[in-house]
Amino acid sequence: MAGSEPSEEPPAEGDEPKEAPGGAVMPEGAHMTRSGHGVMPALDAGVHGEARRLQMQLDAFLAQNEDGLIAFRRDLHMHPELGFAEHRTTQRIFGQLTAAGLEPVMLPKGTGLLCDIGPADGPMVALRADIDALPLMDEKDVPYRSTVPGVAHACGHDVHTTMLIGAGRFLAQQAAAGLLPGRVRLIFQPAEEKPGGALDVMAAGGIAGVDRVFALHCDPRVEVGQLGLRVGPITAACDKVYVKVTGPGGHTARPHLTADLVYALAKIVTELPSALSRRVDPRSSLSLVWGRIAAGSVANAIPDDGIAEGTVRCLDDDAWHRAPEMMKSLLQSVAAAYDVDASLDYVRGVPPTVNEAQSVQMFRDAAGQVLGEDGVVPTPQSLGGEDFGWYLESIPGALARLGVRTPGSTLDYDLHRGDFDIDERCIAVGVRVMAATALTALWDGQRPTGSEAVEGAALA
C-alpha cells in the first residue's frame, strides 16, 4: 500500500534466483485444439482447470516475488530520470532480467532495452513499459519520495517498468517449462514523455517480426483489481503549432496605414479552430487550442510581429495525417484577408492510440482469467497524448488502463501531479494481466488465418 514502510531493501542485481519456486507445469491438452477466440487452450474445451492452474502459478510466483517487486518500484521512484537520461534505471532493469537468466539488449542510445523470451518459431507478441520520469517536484510525504530535485515519477512509469519485469520473469519461468508457443518481447522504452522513445525503439528493430503489442498505463480513477478497456481511439494525437504573423506596424491613431497586426492575429486565433474542425468528420474530435499569444509592447503602437502557440489534438488517424496541410491552407487564407504574412511551424508529437478490437478482446479474455469478469470495466477516451500510438500505426495492439486507486478512497489523485501515488497492490495485478495477456495472444496466434472476427469485442 502506498505510504507504508518498505518491507525490504531493493534487491541488488544478481540477488534473485534464475527461476522462481512453485514453477510452471505443462498444461494438459495444450496441443491447441481451438474453437474460440483469444483464450488459452483449456477454456476452449469448456474446462476452467487450466485457467485455475495459471492462477496458482501466478499466486506462487507473486508469493515469492511481490515484496521484492514493490521494493524495486520504490527504488525507481526514489531515483527518477528524465527521457534519454535513464541510465541508472536501465542498469537496474538489466540486472533484474539477467538475474532471471534472460539476455536483454540495450538500445543504441544507451537507455532502454529489449528482451526476448521463448522460442523463435511461432507467433511473437510484445509487452511495452515506459521508463522515464517527469520534470516535477515530488510533493508526497512517503519514505520512497524522489531524491532528485525537480524530477518525479508522477505518471506511473516506475510501476509500468516493475510490472513488466515481474511479467517477464514469470514468462521466463513458463518458457523454461516449454509453455510458450512463441516468443514474447519485452520493450522497456525510454523517453515517452519527451516524446520520441517509441520511434527509437522502432528504428532499432524493436517491433520487427512482432504480431501484436500490448501496454498498461496507470489510471488513478480506476480501482485496484480493475482493468479499463476500450476499442478504437483511447488517447489522442497531440501536436504543437507555432504561428508567426508579420506586417507593417505603426501608430494606433492610423491603423489604415498599417496591417493592424494585432487585429489580424486575433482573427487568426479565433477563426482557425472552428474552420479546422469543419474540414474533417466531427467524430475525429480534431481540436486546436491556443496556449500562448503575444504581440506588441505598448498600448498606442501597432507592432510589426506577433505569435500564437497551441496544440492540435485528434482521435482519428486520417485526420491527424491531414491536419498540417489543412491548417497551413486555412492560415494563409485568413492572413491574406488582413494583408499580413503568416508562417506555420507544425511540430509532430504523437499519433492517436487506436486500439485494435481483437487485441482488446485478448486483454479482456486474459483479465477474465486472472481478475474475474468483474475486473473488466469500460474506460473513456482521453485527449492526452501517448507515444504507444506509434507502434499501433505499424502493428495491431492495445493499451489498457490499470486501476491504481485504493477501493473506497476519497483522495483525488491524478497523473502529472506532484502528489500522484498508487495503491501498490496494483503491481501484482499488472503482473497477472500482462503475463496472461501474452499467453493468450500467443495461443491465439496459433489459430489458422482467416478466422472469424472477435465476438463482443466492441467494448465502449
Side-chain angles (χ1 to χ4, degrees):
M1 296 281 290
S4 61
E5 292 290 339
S7 59
E8 63 181 26
E9 291 297 317
E13 287 85 355
D15 285 352
E16 296 82 358
K18 292 185 180 294
E19 189 170 315
V25 181
M26 178 69 76
E28 298 173 6
H31 54 279
M32 290 300 301
T33 302
R34 298 183 53 89
S35 60
H37 303 286
V39 292
M40 298 198 323
L43 298 186
D44 286 342
V47 179
H48 296 281
E50 301 307 334
R52 176 58 184 157
R53 186 175 303 210
L54 174 62
Q55 279 276 31
M56 292 174 64
Q57 293 167 4
L58 283 164
D59 288 346
F61 174 82
L62 289 166
Q64 181 73 19
N65 293 281
E66 184 175 6
D67 287 346
L69 289 171
I70 290 173
F72 182 82
R73 177 258 168 174
R74 293 186 176 194
D75 176 66
L76 294 187
H77 201 85
M78 292 174 67
H79 302 92
E81 297 173 302
L82 297 176
F84 293 126
E86 312 98 329
H87 297 286
R88 181 187 185 275
T89 302
T90 299
Q91 289 300 322
R92 294 286 285 130
I93 298 167
F94 191 92
Q96 290 279 316
L97 297 176
T98 55
L102 298 171
E103 299 180 356
V105 177
M106 204 85 69
L107 291 174
K109 288 185 179 179
T111 64
L113 45 82
L114 307 173
C115 186
D116 287 350
I117 304 170
D121 57 330
M124 178 161 63
V125 299
L127 305 176
R128 173 268 206 172
D130 35 17
I131 68 174
D132 57 324
L134 283 162
L136 292 174
M137 288 295 296
D138 192 341
E139 300 172 1
K140 301 184 299 298
D141 183 17
V142 293
Y144 49 88
R145 181 179 178 177
S146 171
T147 60
V148 183
V151 183
H153 272 296
C155 197
H157 294 188
D158 54 334
V159 181
H160 305 164
T161 300
T162 303
M163 293 186 301
L164 189 54
I165 285 173
R169 288 171 57 185
F170 176 78
L171 291 168
Q173 175 182 298
Q174 298 285 298
L179 293 179
L180 294 187
R183 177 166 289 190
V184 178
R185 175 165 293 166
L186 310 181
I187 300 175
F188 293 92
Q189 180 207 303
E192 188 275 331
E193 297 290 355
K194 275 191 175 292
L199 294 176
D200 281 13
V201 169
M202 295 169 68
I207 61 170
V210 173
D211 299 302
R212 294 180 189 277
V213 61
F214 300 90
L216 296 181
H217 199 296
C218 293
D219 191 337
R221 300 165 301 177
V222 179
E223 293 186 348
V224 171
Q226 294 184 324
L227 187 73
L229 296 179
R230 185 178 191 87
V231 172
I234 188 169
T235 67
C238 183
D239 302 331
K240 293 182 179 179
V241 294
Y242 303 87
V243 173
K244 183 174 183 179
V245 180
T246 58
H251 201 293
T252 56
R254 292 177 288 278
H256 60 291
L257 301 179
T258 76
D260 200 354
L261 186 136
V262 173
Y263 186 83
L265 182 59
K267 284 294 186 179
I268 288 171
V269 167
T270 54
E271 291 184 16
L272 250 64
S274 58
L276 189 63
S277 68
R278 297 305 187 272
R279 292 287 186 96
V280 297
D281 189 322
R283 291 171 295 183
S284 71
S285 298
L286 180 65
S287 68
L288 166 62
V289 179
W290 303 106
R292 179 173 179 260
I293 303 170
S297 57
V298 295
N300 62 346
I302 295 173
D304 55 14
D305 65 69
I307 60 169
E309 302 175 0
T311 60
V312 173
R313 298 178 187 270
C314 182
L315 293 172
D316 178 74
D317 196 62
D318 179 64
W320 178 69
H321 282 287
R322 294 169 50 206
E325 285 304 316
M326 287 192 295
M327 186 170 176
K328 182 178 180 180
S329 174
L330 290 168
L331 175 63
Q332 297 305 321
S333 176
V334 177
Y338 296 96
D339 199 24
V340 295
D341 294 322
S343 62
L344 171 66
D345 184 12
Y346 195 105
V347 180
R348 279 296 194 198
V350 296
T353 297
V354 183
N355 284 345
E356 186 243 1
Q358 189 171 357
S359 298
V360 173
Q361 185 68 44
M362 292 174 183
F363 255 140
R364 188 172 191 169
D365 290 333
Q369 294 173 50
V370 297
L371 304 182
E373 288 303 319
D374 293 340
V376 177
V377 296
T379 193
Q381 292 172 340
S382 166
L383 288 180
E386 162 62 69
D387 78 355
F388 188 71
W390 284 117
Y391 301 116
L392 302 189
E393 288 249 293
S394 299
I395 56 176
L399 173 75
R401 296 197 173 116
L402 182 77
V404 301
R405 184 185 189 88
T406 300
S409 172
T410 59
L411 295 175
D412 185 26
Y413 290 140
D414 200 359
L415 301 173
H416 289 221
R417 278 181 22 178
D419 63 350
F420 170 76
D421 208 352
I422 63 161
D423 182 326
E424 289 176 320
R425 290 176 294 181
C426 73
I427 293 172
V429 175
V431 170
R432 292 176 187 276
V433 171
M434 289 292 257
T437 300
L439 291 167
T440 298
L442 287 178
W443 287 121
D444 190 87
Q446 296 295 299
R447 284 192 298 118
T449 57
S451 300
E452 297 176 2
V454 179
E455 297 178 5
L459 187 67

